[in-house]
Amino acid sequence: MKTRKLLASALAGSMVLFAGIAPAQAQAQQAEANETAQARPWMDTSLSPDRRAALLLAEMTFDEKIAMLHGPMAMPFGPFTLPEGAIGSAGYIPGNPRLGIPALQETDASLGITNPMLVRGADDMSTPLPSGLALAATFNPEIAYAGGVMIATEARAKGLNVLLAGGMNLARDPRNGRNFEYLGEDPLLAGVLGGESVRGIQSTGMVSTVKHYAVNDQEHNRMTVDSVIGEADMRESDLLAFQIGIERGDPGSVMCAYNMINGVYGCQNDHLLNQVLKGDWGYRGWVMSDWGAVEALEAATNGLEQQSGEQLDQKIWFDQPLREAVANGSIPQSRVDDMALRILRGMFAHGLFDNPPERGAPIDFAAHAAVAQREAEEGIVLLKNEGGILPLAASGARIAVIGGHAEAGVASGGGSSQVTAPYRESSMVPLRSLPIGGEGMMAAWYNVLFHPSPPLAAIRERAGEDKVAFDTGAYPGDAARIAGEADLAIVFVYQPSSEGADAPDMSLPFGQDALIAAVAAAQPNTIVVLQTGNPVEMPWEQDVKGIVESWYSGAKGGEAIARILFGEVNPSGRLPISWPVDASQLPRPEIPGWGTPEGTPTRVDYTIEGSDVGYRWYAREGTQPRYAFGYGLSYTDFDHGAVRVSGGNAPSAAVTVTNSGDRAGQDVVQFYLTGKPGNDSIRRLVGFEKVSLAPGESREVTVRIDPRILAEWDEAAHGWHIAAGDYRIGVGTDAVTITDDAILSLRNRRFGP
Ligand code: BGC
């Protein structure tokens, strides 16, 4: 049995290796491979990943181990060329033909498979998912899983085997340029969805990361910023998201971040890497650095296993300097073994040896676009619907569509996550990509690329070609004239967002506020469709009847937006991030270090809000954001009954939800902790579930409450503590609007990290 498995996996591996070689030569090489397989006991799939990794490690020379611990970028960039053997994407760690260790072909992946600098050619298409905030707004773990499977399937067909996905930094500031890649401001929501996405990815036989560990919550001065935060605050917020995500997703790798945390860089942070991640959480995978995030050799002893994008660092620390340190005894050989072992174990555990990617396998783009479309449809949030202006009836009304490049596609975010050769139904469709300009290393990535799913075409399809007029919105006066001639106007606006830069404020750029104001003045029936990476100020909120947040909506965004507008889909997205009135409501009205040149040492004081990120902060301050976390309208109504709770060591909450309207729809049932001993202003999401209900239908929803969310981190005792007393659990339509609550009485309880 054992031998059969051994041969089967050796054969599977060699098929790939010898594809495309002449038959006689292939046969000879095949026979040789079979022999080699006998000598490769680690290819026995009946052994545990630990055993297999240990067997392989025992055969490796010191040089071979070192070779696994660092690697270059896998794209032509500035003076660097594509490394030999790399397929081309974000990073590359060469394989080892002597021992049959596959190369790590690493690609960015949060929102789809990237093709940086079009390294794999302009025709290498991928399906862009909607932004991370759109995913988070679905509140639907199944959608996260399905998206993970989809992008991993595309990666495999391109020969790539490590996905740099799983971004789950918390949205502490609605100006953060990377919030669009992440999953909002709540640790439970981010952890569950991030974990499910990773689980989906790895179910196909790939490694995924989670990133960027940790408290990497500001882009401005990201290489020199110090995130200052207390231990308990961090455990109850940013770290809790990672902890939940890692438990659910079991990622092969964790990517450490650029920033410092309490004065120590993320990739050499002994506390976060050795003590919390590997110690308290028992993490068995490997830590890879972000690209250019390794500042010193001490990273090796402080918990980093792999130096990625090594050309971007001052030195290739994990080559010569590491060799010398081992030679002079300052770093033990056993640490190098542990580093290589963790990488190998992750590769075995997640199928990199047994289930190699099939480069060139066909991709079912239409099916994948449907995955992206469903995510967009469930993530779009209806923010305002005065007088039930939406859904639009196919009534023959004349519609003016204005602005936002709606004739070209839907906006996307810039940076390493951007799917630069996106899915297009016809290669004849030109891609519109607007460079935002700017300087510095990331400038090449500052773009708004419009994925070619034009909302205008999708609206015309539904309303009739001759009923829909379009204006680019370049001149507000002209747009107002066209709006005035129609029965209603839909204004599309967008906000660029990119890795490497925060927005200076919360305004919509390019004069779009003035455009909306001009259109609204000319047309009382105005609907605004936002395409943003973050919440924005809305000086025109009272002047328009409808507001739809479509985020960055991906491969089929235009179709999804039109289906929401025309009521073919009932909106069910809920805000995964609080929507402030303006920046004065934030813990830090000014972005720390704003106005200083990139690279200026900058301190961000997260002790201000501590673990009270987003809605928790508003509850503590007693202020009201414009729209609360969890908010979102539907075309039907949902009633929630009385909350029922049950306690003990496995607390839970239940409620009956009824669709009391006349349309089928989906509700996100949300439970919050709204009071606990000594704290009446606390607010924490303790559970959520998305349910589909026909008109008149009722369903009982029960959620298990993660005790960590009820607890506080006790630093002295190094564990969680639930103080005895009454815990109030409410059900709400958002974090502010609680419709009923019940008391959960808990005993004093302590449990481990
Ligand atoms: C980003 C990472 C990304 C890496 C590789 C870095 O700039 O911070 O998220 O995975 O580049 O492209």
Side-chain angles (χ1 to χ4, degrees), residues 646-653 703-707 710 722 744 746 749:
S646 78
N649 284 354
S652 68
V703 299
R704 200 182 56 80
I705 299 176
D706 188 323
L710 303 175
I722 294 183
L744 182 66
L746 296 174
R749 184 178 159 206

Side-chain angles (χ1 to χ4, degrees), residues 22 159 193 310:
L193 295 184
E310 62 191 11

